[in-house]
Amino acid sequence: MTEAAAALLPVVVLISGGGSNLGALIAEQSRWPYRIVAVISNQPGARGLERARAAGIPAQVLDHRAYPDRAAYDLALAAAIDRHDPGLVALAGFMRILTPAFVARYPGRLLNIHPSLLPKYPGLHTHRRALEAGERAHGASVHFVTAQLDGGPVIMQARLPVLPGDSPETLAARVLVQEHRLYPRTVGWFAQGRLRLGGDGQVQFDGVALGAPLDLNALPAVEQV
Ligand code: GAR
């Protein structure tokens, strides 16, 4: 390994589906000091596996249906992840609830992207629920993962207006574009050492606790690279 490669944060990405966020993380990794060293999917047919292989990244299927229960699966998943010795595990459309034991194994090193402005709309069908509630703004969040589903400390969000006539599909498509900007930057900042989860459960950015999540579309000009 070259010295430059050794300075790059090894990241394992977990997926279940199309992997468009994985695609964004791959596309942006040359701009940031992280490298995706492996992709693991719980779904054999996940299209994201092809994206990984096309980029020369080892891609593995770990089918949850082959395990008797969640605890057994999560143990196998952790073993598969730990073989790559990652500095960060990034969930990118990984549609499984994780056991507390799994989460506890990666304190401050487990990120997730979720298609809502958390704490609003954890769980599924976020776009439909936001429309049904008459929300005027919606978006996506990247957060540190805790044992609570979609409940960990939020690092950064991308907000967008809900437009008249939006359907869950049109809204989802616009949110996804934002997700693809949001996740690589967050992972990149983590790799640069600018982001960490403090012992008090607060997100720290450049050593200062965040009072509220960062807003991707309202970052100071100096960050707009
Ligand atoms: C993304 O919208 C992601 O935020 C969401 O799944 C989609 C995956 O798309 N994740 C969750 O809902 C997690 N609770 P992708 O496979 O194309 O990246």
Side-chain angles (χ1 to χ4, degrees), residues 7-105:
L8 301 171
L9 183 83
V11 180
V12 169
V13 180
L14 306 186
I15 62 167
S16 297
S20 70
N21 276 291
L22 166 67
L25 287 167
I26 293 171
E28 292 285 301
Q29 63 180 354
S30 57
R31 292 183 57 207
W32 300 100
Y34 69 84
R35 286 300 174 267
I36 301 170
V37 292
V39 171
I40 302 173
S41 170
N42 68 307
Q43 295 286 0
R47 275 173 296 131
L49 290 163
E50 285 315 310
R51 288 182 199 267
R53 290 181 187 129
I57 299 167
Q60 180 187 353
V61 174
L62 201 64
D63 190 338
H64 58 278
R65 286 161 290 212
Y67 294 83
D69 54 32
R70 205 173 278 286
Y73 180 76
D74 280 7
L75 264 182
L77 180 61
I81 291 169
D82 292 351
R83 269 199 289 280
H84 301 281
D85 201 15
L88 179 71
V89 179
L91 311 181
F94 187 65
M95 304 306 276
R96 283 188 57 82
I97 294 171
L98 296 164
T99 53
F102 179 92
V103 173
R105 209 165 163 129

Side-chain angles (χ1 to χ4, degrees), residues 31-181:
R31 292 183 57 207
W32 300 100
Y34 69 84
R35 286 300 174 267
I36 301 170
V37 292
V39 171
I40 302 173
S41 170
N42 68 307
Q43 295 286 0
R47 275 173 296 131
L49 290 163
E50 285 315 310
R51 288 182 199 267
R53 290 181 187 129
I57 299 167
Q60 180 187 353
V61 174
L62 201 64
D63 190 338
H64 58 278
R65 286 161 290 212
Y67 294 83
D69 54 32
R70 205 173 278 286
Y73 180 76
D74 280 7
L75 264 182
L77 180 61
I81 291 169
D82 292 351
R83 269 199 289 280
H84 301 281
D85 201 15
L88 179 71
V89 179
L91 311 181
F94 187 65
M95 304 306 276
R96 283 188 57 82
I97 294 171
L98 296 164
T99 53
F102 179 92
V103 173
R105 209 165 163 129
Y106 306 99
R109 297 196 292 134
L110 191 54
L111 295 184
N112 182 42
I113 186 158
H114 182 76
S116 77
L117 295 174
L118 291 170
K120 288 186 170 180
Y121 312 114
L124 298 175
H125 310 301
T126 56
H127 311 299
R128 194 184 72 207
R129 287 156 61 207
L131 286 173
E132 283 171 0
E135 297 285 0
R136 300 179 61 180
H138 186 48
S141 307
V142 176
H143 64 96
F144 283 107
V145 175
T146 60
Q148 194 193 349
L149 178 70
D150 299 326
V154 179
I155 300 165
M156 183 151 60
Q157 298 182 316
R159 309 173 69 85
L160 49 76
V162 175
L163 301 178
D166 255 335
S167 65
E169 292 72 29
T170 59
L171 190 52
R174 288 208 315 287
V175 170
L176 204 54
V177 170
Q178 296 291 314
E179 291 186 43
H180 297 164
R181 298 177 55 229

Side-chain angles (χ1 to χ4, degrees), residues 182-196:
L182 184 63
Y183 214 3
R185 175 170 293 265
T186 314
V187 171
W189 278 347
F190 184 89
Q192 288 174 331
R194 299 185 70 184
L195 279 172
R196 60 183 289 271

